[in-house]
């Protein structure tokens, strides 16, 4: 069974803290994504990685960075968390060159982050 | 540039009633369109896809969608709602030339007994 695992389902952090959200996939996918999900705004792409050490900014990269040192792992980093980063964060993965024609994005269950 | 618009952030139906969730797209080229479903406390999963073959596409759990080029629409339907259909539904379009999807803002479906 294909699987995308996000390390934490629920996190509570304080303003200014550094936050790491981890995502691991076991499908040998080249592509990995971090989305943010907010009510009324849908899913917005934060960062995309198409290979190890390769990354591309999405629509809302400000305040975030990412790391992809291994193919199976994609980390989202909030250098200094702020209250407006309180949200649901979704990780996804896909095979390179197939997403556009198949729509096959595989999602994790999400990490709900609250910043106080 | 491609985009999708979902009309209605919330839809409520009675169990057994028709489900209709609306999605309109904008694309300068023939689009690839998708519907995803998100059950409570879960990630998204692919429900069905239109990739320029048949215009009526069938998905899982009895859902289907029809691609109508003249109306630039890709509405999702199910003849008879079930309580287990309560979820959030997202329409998406492929961003041509990339491996990315562009998602709509979502429609939350409530099913009443």
């Amino acid at each position: 069974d294909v699987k995308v695992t996000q390390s934490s389902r629920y996190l509570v952090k304080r303003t200014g803290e550094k936050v790491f959200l981890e995502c691991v996939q076991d499908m040998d996918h080249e592509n990995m994504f971090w989305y943010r999900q907010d009510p009324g705004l849908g899913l917005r792409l934060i960062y995309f990685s198409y290979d190890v050490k390769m990354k591309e900014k999405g629509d809302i990269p400000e305040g975030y960075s990412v790391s992809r040192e291994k193919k199976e792992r994609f980390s989202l980093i909030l250098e200094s968390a702020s209250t407006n980063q309180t949200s649901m964060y979704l990780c996804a993965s896909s095979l390179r060159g197939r997403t556009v024609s198949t729509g096959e994005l595989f999602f994790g269950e999400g990490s709900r982050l609250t910043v106080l | 540039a491609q985009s999708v618009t979902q009309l209605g952030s919330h839809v409520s139906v009675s169990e057994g009633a028709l489900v209709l969730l609306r999605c309109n797209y904008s694309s300068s080229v023939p689009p690839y369109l998708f519907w995803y479903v998100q059950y409570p406390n879960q990630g998204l999963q692919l429900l069905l896809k239109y990739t320029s073959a048949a215009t009526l596409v069938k998905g899982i759990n009895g859902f289907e969608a029809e691609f109508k080029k003249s109306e630039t629409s890709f509405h999702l339907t199910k003849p008879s709602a079930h309580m287990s259909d309560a979820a959030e539904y997202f329409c998406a379009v492929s961003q041509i030339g990339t491996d990315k999807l562009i998602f709509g803002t979502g429609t939350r479906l409530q099913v009443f007994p």
Side-chain angles (χ1 to χ4, degrees), chain B residues 25-89:
Chain B
Y25 70 89
S26 173
S27 179
S28 55
V29 297
Y32 291 155
L33 293 160
F34 312 95
W35 276 99
Y36 276 78
V37 60
Q38 183 181 34
Y39 297 107
N41 298 315
Q42 294 186 25
L44 281 70
Q45 56 182 282
L46 184 63
L47 193 57
L48 51 78
K49 58 188 175 187
Y50 167 74
T51 56
S52 76
T55 56
L56 182 62
V57 180
K58 294 187 186 299
I60 59 173
N61 300 334
F63 282 92
E64 61 184 37
E66 187 171 8
F67 174 73
K68 291 188 177 180
K69 185 178 178 181
S70 61
E71 298 177 9
T72 62
S73 69
F74 189 57
H75 301 332
L76 182 70
T77 60
K78 183 174 180 178
S80 177
H82 192 273
M83 297 294 289
S84 60
D85 295 326
E88 189 152 21
Y89 293 81

Side-chain angles (χ1 to χ4, degrees), chain A residues 2 13 15 21 32 37 41-42 49-50 58 68-69 72 74-75 82 91 93-94 97 104 107:
Chain A
V2 297
K13 298 292 182 181
T15 302
L21 300 179
M32 294 189 76
Q37 182 181 7
L41 297 177
S49 170
Y50 51 92
R68 187 140 181 230
E69 297 296 318
E72 67 271 18
F74 192 35
S75 302
S82 64
C91 176
S93 72
S94 70
E104 288 173 355
F107 283 85

